[in-house]
Amino acid sequence: MHSAITTIGKTIEDQLKGRDLLTLLDYTSEEIDYLLQKALIMKQEMVAGKMPAVLQGKTLGMIFEKHSTRTRISFEVGMNHLGGHAMFMHAKDLQIGRGEPISDTGKVLSEYVDGVMIRANSHEMVKELAKHATIPIINGLTDIFHPCQALADLLTMIEVKGTIRGKKLAYVGDGNNVAHSLIIGAANMGMHVAFASPEGYACNQNLFMKAQKIANANGGSLIQTNNAIEAVENADVVYTDVWTSMGQEEETATRLQVFNDFQVNDELVAHAKKDYMFLHCLPAHREEEVATSVIDGPNSYVFQQAGNRLHAQKAVLATLL
């Protein structure tokens, strides 16, 4: 692990310095692996009481259009651990809430802070911000991607399973932003991914095909199905997310009916490997997308996964900023 950082890692770190993190599609398998290995090392260092202040004097601006628990707290604490400062800004309190072009906001913030993490409604808006900013822009969640969550997911799999190349990941549920970033990240790590959703609720097919090509190039695979049992069969990792994401509340009643056969419960996970691990990005709706017996059971790593948001994001911050 340390050798990866000290040899080819230095070249990769130089490549990543000052970069944006909008989607994992912009990162190579080697770059993703570098961030994951760095996160593991930084977590070990924190446990040992070592937190090098590598971002001393740096400020991260954090813009929020959506509610947040894990994203806000992990980025804020992460900057503190690294010796820097994080500034919370709700979009409605900024001039963008009154119609200032996001291009102007990007230029202005570039004069004040060293990087921006944004949790936004529109991915196009975040792309526009990055286009006009001269500082790293980090996607804390958009309607299409959630790359920081995927890094924490992969980090947790590595901690529990060791190498994840060749392991099977089953995702059961909605083809949302979490699913998009997860399948891209897993594809880069050479995993075999089976995605199960009701008809009409699959991932964006353009993104799915891109992830499929990445998986094939890395010795993995990516399939989609409308059969949850088929997806979970012999899986090493079983993952789900809420059936109704933020902004889709008016669809709740319909989605509860459509997704009824896609609950991750004891009957479904019986088809996975005995030592499978269960993951969920949280917050979870117990007895909807996941049975309480699964999420609170011995195969669940959801709180370790949530904790790893801190370490994955510290690796991102320390590298990009």
Side-chain angles (χ1 to χ4, degrees), residues 173-174 197-198 201 243 254-263:
D174 188 30
S197 68
Y201 292 86
W243 292 339
T254 299
R255 285 173 171 267
L256 285 174
Q257 184 175 4
V258 170
F259 282 88
N260 187 56
D261 293 332
F262 289 81
Q263 184 188 78

Side-chain angles (χ1 to χ4, degrees), residues 63 102 105-106 116 118 125-133 137:
I63 301 175
I102 193 65
T105 299
V116 170
I118 180 166
M125 186 266 269
V126 175
K127 286 169 61 178
E128 186 72 7
L129 175 68
K131 178 181 177 181
H132 294 278
I137 305 299

Side-chain angles (χ1 to χ4, degrees), residues 42 46 50-56 58 60-62 64 68-88 117 306-315 317-318:
M42 296 184 84
M46 190 192 79
K50 301 175 183 178
M51 290 187 287
V54 296
L55 295 183
Q56 184 74 41
K58 301 273 189 180
L60 177 73
M62 305 192 303
F64 288 84
S68 175
T69 297
R70 283 149 290 276
T71 298
R72 177 180 177 179
I73 295 172
S74 56
F75 270 106
E76 197 161 330
V77 172
M79 281 298 289
N80 180 270
H81 283 184
L82 296 170
H85 173 68
M87 180 184 299
F88 173 82
M117 185 284 297
N308 278 336
R309 289 292 302 277
L310 172 64
H311 309 295
Q313 282 150 201
K314 282 172 66 176
L317 291 167

Side-chain angles (χ1 to χ4, degrees), residues 124-150:
E124 289 303 313
M125 186 266 269
V126 175
K127 286 169 61 178
E128 186 72 7
L129 175 68
K131 178 181 177 181
H132 294 278
T134 57
I135 52 176
I137 305 299
I138 300 169
N139 177 2
L141 177 144
T142 66
D143 55 335
I144 304 177
F145 297 111
H146 199 351
C148 293
Q149 179 65 55

